[in-house]
Amino acid sequence: MILALVIVLALLVFLALTALGRGWLGWVVAGAIVLAWWKWKLAAAPTPFWTVAAVFGVLALVFGFAPLRRVLFGGLSLKLVGKALPTMSDTERAALEAGTVWWDAELFSGAPRWQRLLDFHVAKMTSEERLFVDEVVGELSKLCVEHEVEARGDLSERAWQLIKSKGLMGMIIPKEYGGLGFTAAANSAVIVKLSSRSVTAAVSVMVPNSLGPAELLLHYGTDEQKKFWLPRLANGSEVPCFALTEPGAGSDAASITSTGTICRGTFEGREVLGMRLDWSKRYITLAPVATVLGLAFKLRDPEHLLGQETELGITCALIPVTTPGVQIGKRHDPLGVPFMNGPTEGHGVFVPLDFIIGGPKLAGHGWRMLMQCLSAGRGVSLPALSVGAAQLAARAVGAHATIREQFGLPIGRFEGVEEKLAKVGGLTYLIDSGRKLTLGAIDAGEKPSVITAIMKCYATETMRVVINDAMDVLGGNGICLGPRNVLGSAYKAIPIGITVEGANILTRTMIVFGQGAIRCHPFVQREMRAVAERDVAAFDAAFFGHVNLVFTNAARGLLFSLGGTKLVGSPTSGAASEYYPRLERLATAFSLCADFAMATLGGQLKRKENLCGRLADALAHLYLGSAVLKRYFDGGAPDREAALMRWAAEHALERAEHALDDFLRNLPNRPAAWLVRALVLPFGRREHGPSDRRHAEVARGLLEDRPERVSLSSDIFLPPASDPGLGRLEAAQAAVLAAQPARNKLKEAAKQKKLAARGSTELLDAAVAAGILSEEERKLVEAAEIARRDAILVDAFTPDEFAARAG
């Protein structure tokens, strides 16, 4: 009995000190407690005690006293661990060093500092930006009726003119160069609104403001290049595109085969030192109408005209499309969504070295430049497009499920439909929360490369789920294309967002965790740097800090598993308070799983893509769950968002835990998997996602134009009632809701046998005659029925009309 108490006491002390980040002290104190008991128990036989005590003391001294540890084991441990660490190519190193780390590092630590997140200020749009979104983007949205754009095969001339004249191609360009100088939040708001109306318009606007000539010039261009190009890009007199993707180089962009060879040649009648370029690119947005081509290629200097190096590496340059040898004009057809996209080729194109972005001194620096720019830009455009589509879906299905009736009830009242509605609403809230938090980080000066990769990948994947579920609710109204169809264009565009800016398969399995494990971990990058520099002192500090982190998270994980979340405080009170410790428990489990993955697999981990993908899933949903809590807190914990917040948080928790469970089931080193499971999931999974009751709460918030629905879809373009798609739905819903009290009177009268079941006209006549309805109420009911029938109609075409659409 006494032994059991001693062991429990030692264990508690060890866990407590380790949980506080004092793993070695926990080891020493716990050992001292056990040794003290042993001395008391074996007082008559002191030799074994002093032998063990001496061994324990030596181990504690050697491993607890850093200078001695470094002398005895520093070189050996550096050599052994160095063999296990993954090797990195120059391109991988450039990608890893791009951008910054932010809240992702807190999650990797296993002990996120919630108050730091809550204290972070997410900047709002300025009044000027808000006015622009409301008026200019609203005006453009009116011009971009997507079924007309698709029939025409392009935006109207008037729409293009507005895009250029109002500066929509220069949102990221500072005002000093004639641009709008918008924040990331405003840039995103423009894309959200446009994408809810026209994917074609949204893509046409977002590409010049994403990774491309303007972004590269702002960060790396010479003063002369900035002064010449940026004003022209800002006012639309120059239309840019950026040519990176090739037939043999998609997600593996570093493997491009386009070449540039430094040589002397004639340009515009004068002999200059320049480059002769050859390329074949595809999938280049705006290429068919571009006037200036941003080009990525591998530059060589075989005659050493620029320096001693022959292979300079990936380089970025600006090439006017009027340069002899440049070929543009052909178009791809991306699933019938007619934004300008096509191939470009160049053969023997000679340009001066001054065409290199940043000038000759930045020759060979293109990959680093691209990675740095992508580290922020990836978090703006495609997440905004995804949120715009999701908000549109939430708005449309809420109206449709209110209007459409079957078996005498609005279809939104059926549990099967409620589940779909809840996913549409909850997932929209989830990715919109992530979008807003990420934009706040970017506008605060961060370039969180791992977080922006998360947002690109998981926002577009979530858009896929939201649109598919919305299509299930819309049924035939979602399938039949035409002016009345609200979601058909968004549905067709899903694979586009999933494919571009790094295909999601590879982003998930190779970038989010593969890059994050090194970039965001508190110690791994420091360990790798110390190994590369053979710095024993730096390696010792990083390695044993890493070991201490593992001990700390093991102790925290066990405490959480034994019910310790009840002992962890929450930085807030109210509806969201329970979710902070639950997310923290899974952050601890994630950190421990990540460390055991790296420890047991070493350099082989990056080839275990399924394992990396599951850890990426966990990290992504921990981030999205954090964003949900942050949004709810920043909004003042509004009642209208409580159900959405709970649904989104519970979904994120379930997805993160599910991913960790799958990771542990598949970790090749089974003893390690059993040990980690015993620490973090000893009783199996505890997060099961939103309940049926939670589904019903969220679903009902999307019906009947409640505040939840209005708030959730507040960023989209709302067309007038004359619009045959969403405008018609909104008008019909208003009519149905206005007539609902009168319809309730009719139902109650029929239930009490005051009215006989007859045709609708006779029933209304009888209701008015009996004084059940007033004449005004009768008109409301009639108008609602007309609007309801009209709203659920789908487009139909004569053979000639259909042939014209297909042609």
Side-chain angles (χ1 to χ4, degrees):
M1 182 63 179
I2 295 176
L3 175 60
L5 291 174
V6 169
I7 293 174
V8 168
L9 177 62
L11 179 62
L12 289 175
V13 170
F14 170 74
L15 291 175
L17 290 173
T18 303
L20 293 173
R22 298 292 183 268
W24 291 111
L25 183 60
W27 169 272
V28 172
V29 175
I33 291 172
V34 174
L35 287 173
W37 171 82
W38 196 8
K39 185 177 188 307
W40 169 78
K41 185 71 176 176
L42 303 178
T47 303
F49 167 79
W50 290 114
T51 301
V52 174
V55 171
F56 185 87
V58 169
L59 290 174
L61 178 65
V62 168
F63 289 103
F65 187 56
L68 180 60
R69 182 178 67 224
R70 290 169 191 161
V71 171
L72 296 177
F73 299 104
L76 178 62
S77 60
L78 185 147
K79 183 177 180 181
L80 292 176
V81 175
K83 290 180 179 179
L85 290 174
T87 57
M88 284 193 296
S89 65
D90 290 340
T91 54
E92 287 176 316
R93 184 173 291 105
L96 282 171
E97 293 174 354
T100 61
V101 296
W102 187 57
W103 186 247
D104 42 350
E106 293 286 331
L107 296 172
F108 257 95
S109 74
R113 292 170 288 181
W114 294 111
Q115 198 59 51
R116 180 188 176 211
L117 179 66
L118 298 184
D119 289 342
F120 174 73
H121 175 64
V122 176
K124 307 288 186 184
M125 283 192 290
T126 66
S127 57
E128 177 190 5
E129 291 171 335
R130 173 53 66 188
L131 185 65
F132 185 93
V133 172
D134 291 342
E135 294 188 355
V136 175
V137 181
E139 181 184 355
L140 177 59
S141 297
K142 292 176 184 177
L143 298 176
C144 299
V145 182
E146 190 70 346
H147 72 89
E148 295 177 0
V149 173
E150 291 179 357
R152 188 186 304 112
D154 190 9
L155 299 174
S156 68
E157 184 61 35
R158 191 176 167 197
W160 274 116
Q161 184 58 36
L162 191 149
I163 287 171
K164 294 175 181 179
S165 64
K166 296 296 184 179
L168 281 155
M169 285 189 160
M171 291 191 292
I172 65 171
I173 297 175
K175 292 182 178 180
E176 64 184 284
Y177 295 108
L180 295 176
F182 276 1
T183 60
N187 185 346
S188 177
V190 169
I191 303 306
V192 170
K193 193 160 196 167
L194 279 179
S195 62
S196 71
R197 180 64 163 172
S198 168
V199 174
T200 304
V203 172
S204 301
V205 168
M206 79 186 193
V207 167
N209 293 286
S210 185
L211 177 63
E215 179 85 356
L216 290 167
L217 284 167
L218 283 171
H219 292 288
Y220 302 105
T222 64
D223 288 340
E224 292 77 10
Q225 289 172 339
K226 291 178 182 178
K227 289 175 183 177
F228 180 83
W229 286 111
L230 290 178
R232 291 168 170 80
L233 293 171
N235 64 27
S237 59
E238 298 282 0
V239 178
C241 69
F242 189 76
L244 177 62
T245 304
E246 300 176 359
S251 295
D252 182 16
S255 65
I256 58 175
T257 58
S258 299
T259 61
T261 302
I262 295 178
C263 60
R264 294 191 180 278
T266 302
F267 184 80
E268 296 182 346
R270 56 192 175 90
E271 184 175 322
V272 296
L273 182 61
M275 311 169 285
R276 196 164 301 280
L277 305 169
D278 291 274
W279 72 84
S280 178
K281 305 285 188 177
R282 65 178 182 178
Y283 308 150
I284 311 305
T285 298
L286 294 184
V289 294
T291 62
V292 59
L293 182 76
L295 183 70
F297 56 93
K298 287 183 176 176
L299 185 62
R300 303 182 69 249
D301 186 10
E303 299 179 40
H304 301 131
L305 299 173
L306 198 60
Q308 296 303 309
E309 290 187 55
T310 301
E311 304 294 336
L312 298 179
I314 293 176
T315 302
C316 297
L318 291 181
I319 314 296
V321 299
T322 54
T323 307
V326 176
Q327 298 177 19
I328 62 166
K330 290 184 178 180
R331 293 181 64 177
H332 299 308
D333 183 2
L335 289 172
V337 183
F339 60 90
M340 289 293 171
N341 183 276
T344 174
E345 293 187 10
H347 303 288
V349 178
F350 181 79
V351 294
L353 289 181
D354 289 343
F355 280 30
I356 294 173
I357 297 176
K361 67 180 180 181
L362 289 187
H365 291 265
W367 185 248
R368 176 178 60 84
M369 293 159 61
L370 293 172
M371 290 300 98
Q372 288 286 357
C373 290
L374 196 61
S375 65
R378 192 160 41 191
V380 179
S381 297
L382 287 170
L385 187 145
S386 301
V387 167
Q391 288 194 11
L392 174 64
R395 190 89 183 191
V397 296
H400 181 82
T402 299
I403 296 165
R404 179 70 166 159
E405 291 187 353
Q406 292 287 275
F407 309 104
L409 284 174
I411 63 171
R413 297 295 185 183
F414 292 92
E415 284 193 354
V417 176
E418 278 186 344
E419 183 180 12
K420 298 291 185 181
L421 290 173
K423 286 176 66 181
V424 168
L427 291 175
T428 299
Y429 189 84
L430 181 79
I431 59 172
D432 196 21
S433 300
R435 176 184 73 98
K436 290 176 177 177
L437 181 59
T438 305
L439 295 171
I442 294 171
D443 281 332
E446 298 288 345
K447 290 188 174 182
S449 55
V450 173
I451 286 175
T452 56
I454 286 172
M455 286 309 303
K456 185 274 163 181
C457 178
Y458 290 85
T460 53
E461 287 292 341
T462 302
M463 173 181 65
R464 187 204 311 247
V465 176
V466 168
I467 298 297
N468 279 331
D469 284 340
M471 293 289 277
D472 284 352
V473 176
L474 293 177
N477 290 77
I479 292 170
C480 295
L481 293 175
R484 291 171 176 265
N485 191 299
V486 179
L487 293 182
S489 295
Y491 181 80
K492 290 189 293 183
I494 289 170
I496 299 170
I498 283 169
T499 301
V500 299
E501 288 191 7
N504 283 1
I505 291 174
L506 294 184
T507 300
R508 171 181 176 264
T509 58
M510 297 180 67
I511 297 177
V512 172
F513 180 76
Q515 184 174 331
I518 298 173
R519 191 77 173 91
C520 306
H521 194 283
F523 299 104
V524 169
Q525 194 169 29
R526 290 163 54 188
E527 290 169 329
M528 295 178 71
R529 188 179 297 114
V531 167
E533 297 172 357
R534 312 303 297 172
D535 187 333
V536 173
F539 175 79
D540 178 85
F543 178 72
F544 281 92
H546 193 161
V547 170
N548 191 67
L549 178 70
V550 173
F551 272 96
T552 298
N553 283 328
R556 285 168 52 83
L558 185 57
L559 282 173
F560 280 136
S561 298
L562 297 176
T565 54
K566 297 180 177 63
L567 304 177
V568 177
S570 171
T572 68
S573 58
S577 60
E578 65 175 290
Y579 299 113
Y580 290 93
R582 289 162 68 178
L583 279 170
E584 187 165 340
R585 176 181 76 88
L586 292 178
T588 299
F590 164 76
S591 181
L592 196 62
C593 286
D595 276 325
F596 270 80
M598 290 184 281
T600 59
L601 291 168
Q604 297 297 315
L605 179 58
K606 66 180 180 180
R607 283 181 281 277
K608 297 293 185 180
E609 294 174 19
N610 288 337
L611 292 178
C612 288
R614 294 181 182 108
L615 290 171
D617 291 343
L619 176 62
H621 285 94
L622 288 171
Y623 176 72
L624 291 170
S626 301
V628 165
L629 300 185
K630 170 65 171 169
R631 172 180 178 169
Y632 188 68
F633 174 82
D634 284 352
D639 290 340
R640 68 176 181 275
E641 292 185 13
L644 288 164
M645 178 275 296
R646 290 189 178 102
W647 193 100
E650 289 164 8
H651 171 82
L653 286 163
E654 187 276 333
R655 289 289 82 198
E657 188 176 62
H658 179 88
L660 295 175
D661 183 43
D662 275 0
F663 165 80
L664 291 172
R665 286 195 301 109
N666 290 278
L667 186 65
N669 189 315
R670 299 314 299 155
W674 296 332
L675 173 61
V676 177
R677 184 176 291 278
L679 292 170
V680 300
L681 292 174
F683 308 115
R685 289 171 53 193
R686 292 159 55 177
E687 301 293 348
H688 303 290
S691 64
D692 290 348
R693 179 181 176 185
R694 193 77 73 219
H695 285 320
E697 291 173 352
V698 172
R700 287 167 190 165
L702 295 187
L703 302 175
E704 301 177 1
D705 210 31
R706 294 185 181 180
E708 296 95 316
R709 175 176 178 265
V710 174
S711 173
L712 189 64
S713 56
S714 61
D715 300 311
I716 68 172
F717 174 74
L718 293 177
S722 59
D723 174 78
L726 183 61
R728 187 189 304 263
L729 266 179
E730 290 284 301
Q733 178 181 244
V736 167
L737 294 178
Q740 194 59 50
R743 292 192 72 210
N744 291 340
K745 289 181 181 181
L746 289 174
K747 289 181 179 180
E748 185 61 29
K751 187 187 297 183
Q752 295 178 9
K753 311 281 189 198
K754 293 180 181 179
L755 290 173
R758 299 179 246 181
S760 59
T761 301
E762 294 179 355
L763 181 67
L764 290 174
D765 288 341
V768 172
I772 296 170
L773 294 183
S774 67
E775 188 61 39
E776 185 63 31
E777 288 174 318
R778 174 200 175 115
K779 291 179 180 178
L780 287 174
V781 173
E782 288 178 329
E785 290 309 306
I786 293 171
R788 186 197 309 276
R789 287 194 296 270
D790 183 54
I792 63 176
L793 293 177
V794 298
D795 295 290
F797 308 95
T798 67
D800 288 343
E801 289 171 336
F802 194 87
R805 287 173 55 82

